Amino acid sequence: MTRAAVAVGRTALFKDIVARMEQWNVSALPVLEGDGRVVGVVSEADLLPKEEFRDSDPDRLTQRRRLDDLARAGGLTAGDLMSTPAVTVHADATLAEAARIMALKRVKRLPVVTAEGVLEGVVSRGDLLKVFLREDRELADEIRREVLDVLFPAPVEPVHVVVVDGVVTLTGKVTDGTPIPLAVRMVRGVEGVVGVDCHLTEG
């Protein structure tokens, strides 16, 4: 995550919000109150209704369907414009959990908060993708140490792990094949792994 998170208060004005987004090249800003507690998020999507409805007179059907957007079109401050409650993630969440929340909630950035809801940073889609830049050797070392040595401490034949461009290939013969499916799931769960090709056999 990015710890130097840019945020605004409830009273931040529309133009100041737009300027801050432009200055920091972000698409959304956490909205804070009090001691830094996140109470909402204002995004580009929350700001666009002001332009969309600037010179239009929506019919009754549009008014009924888009009450929230019409209210935002008249908003002047972050408190008027923000989406609330904020979609957030705790600092101890895994990258997979953060990615799942982003996908389900269709957001590009997640405020990272403490148990009390105080802002600690922001995680973006770009932050999640950075794990795929891990070196193949680093991935192989972690897989060998955290998965293979734990699940297969006494193989019949040496268990080998080869990682090329994030794709893991496992080969070897083990005394008990029961943990093989678990090994595949655990390897797939290692941050930075792109895929798993398992050729472990029981002997």
Side-chain angles (χ1 to χ4, degrees), residues 8-71:
V8 294
R10 277 183 179 271
T11 59
L13 298 176
F14 186 98
K15 290 188 71 171
D16 293 335
I17 296 168
V18 175
R20 188 161 294 191
M21 285 182 175
E22 175 72 17
Q23 178 185 358
W24 293 96
N25 192 29
V26 295
S27 58
L29 294 169
V31 181
L32 311 181
E33 72 175 9
D35 57 355
R37 189 166 51 87
V38 178
V39 293
V41 173
V42 60
S43 68
E44 291 172 338
D46 296 323
L47 303 179
L48 283 174
K50 186 172 290 292
E51 176 63 20
E52 180 182 356
F53 295 109
R54 179 170 53 84
D55 57 358
S56 65
D57 187 16
D59 57 35
R60 287 187 177 180
L61 181 60
T62 301
Q63 291 178 25
R64 285 199 300 270
R65 285 181 175 175
R66 301 187 61 189
L67 283 174
D68 288 345
D69 285 342
L70 286 167

Side-chain angles (χ1 to χ4, degrees), residues 9-193:
R10 277 183 179 271
T11 59
L13 298 176
F14 186 98
K15 290 188 71 171
D16 293 335
I17 296 168
V18 175
R20 188 161 294 191
M21 285 182 175
E22 175 72 17
Q23 178 185 358
W24 293 96
N25 192 29
V26 295
S27 58
L29 294 169
V31 181
L32 311 181
E33 72 175 9
D35 57 355
R37 189 166 51 87
V38 178
V39 293
V41 173
V42 60
S43 68
E44 291 172 338
D46 296 323
L47 303 179
L48 283 174
K50 186 172 290 292
E51 176 63 20
E52 180 182 356
F53 295 109
R54 179 170 53 84
D55 57 358
S56 65
D57 187 16
D59 57 35
R60 287 187 177 180
L61 181 60
T62 301
Q63 291 178 25
R64 285 199 300 270
R65 285 181 175 175
R66 301 187 61 189
L67 283 174
D68 288 345
D69 285 342
L70 286 167
R72 287 191 175 97
L76 300 177
T77 66
D80 302 329
L81 299 158
M82 67 182 181
S83 297
T84 187
V87 179
T88 62
V89 66
H90 288 127
D92 59 355
T94 65
L95 292 180
E97 290 169 338
R100 194 172 299 118
I101 293 171
M102 283 186 178
L104 290 174
K105 299 298 184 179
R106 297 181 180 179
V107 295
K108 298 177 181 178
R109 297 167 63 82
L110 280 176
V112 180
V113 299
T114 65
E116 293 76 30
V118 175
L119 183 68
E120 284 198 332
V122 172
V123 63
S124 67
R125 290 177 178 176
D127 293 327
L128 299 182
L129 293 175
K130 285 177 184 175
V131 298
F132 294 106
L133 300 177
R134 293 182 70 189
E135 295 288 338
D136 290 339
R137 183 175 60 183
E138 181 184 351
L139 292 174
D141 289 344
E142 180 175 339
I143 291 165
R144 191 175 294 108
R145 182 179 64 252
E146 302 292 338
V147 180
L148 302 180
D149 289 350
V150 174
L151 295 181
F152 309 112
V156 176
E157 295 176 359
V159 175
H160 296 288
V161 53
V162 176
V163 185
V164 179
D165 294 331
V167 178
V168 180
T169 301
L170 303 174
T171 57
K173 189 174 289 187
V174 297
T175 52
D176 180 8
T178 305
I180 291 177
L182 174 60
V184 173
R185 288 198 300 275
M186 290 178 67
V187 171
R188 190 176 290 120
V190 172
E191 293 177 355
V193 168

